[in-house]
Amino acid sequence: MPACPGKERYSLGRSSLSLFLAIALLAAAVLGAFPAMHENLHPEAGHLCVVKLFASGGYAATTPAPVFTAPEMLSLPEALPLPTLLDCSGPRFFSLLEHAPPARA
């Protein structure tokens, strides 16, 4: 009795998929080499299929949508306004301190 009973099925599926892909690649190469045989399969003029792409050595791909676009630059004024400073003159500063909590005695 095998140690992993499902492993044979997984291996069989992988082998059959690789065999199918190899046959498809071989068929595309053969049909690309013989255009008359390709025309017998489907005679539409100006079509785009795997055989034509394989024979031309390229593929048709669309450009993907951008994932990230940079934000637009912010327009800054020529001169930035200066912040207004607090009036820290003597009487004003000490008048703020008179409302402080009482000191411990």
Side-chain angles (χ1 to χ4, degrees):
M1 179 160 222
C4 296
K7 190 152 177 89
E8 292 86 18
R9 194 174 341 153
Y10 179 70
S11 177
L12 179 65
R14 181 180 280 181
S15 298
S16 59
L17 179 64
S18 61
L19 180 66
F20 173 74
L21 290 176
I23 290 172
L25 184 67
L26 184 64
V30 168
L31 290 174
F34 298 108
M37 190 183 304
H38 179 229
E39 282 292 321
N40 287 339
L41 284 176
H42 53 116
E44 301 97 29
H47 67 279
L48 186 64
C49 65
V50 173
V51 175
K52 290 272 188 176
L53 293 174
F54 191 82
S56 67
Y59 64 94
T62 59
T63 56
V67 177
F68 173 77
T69 57
E72 294 181 13
M73 294 296 294
L74 295 175
S75 61
L76 295 175
E78 292 182 20
L80 294 175
L82 294 175
T84 56
L85 298 175
L86 294 176
D87 182 24
C88 291
S89 62
R92 170 90 174 130
F93 181 70
F94 288 113
S95 70
L96 291 173
L97 290 179
E98 74 182 26
H99 297 289
R104 291 188 180 187

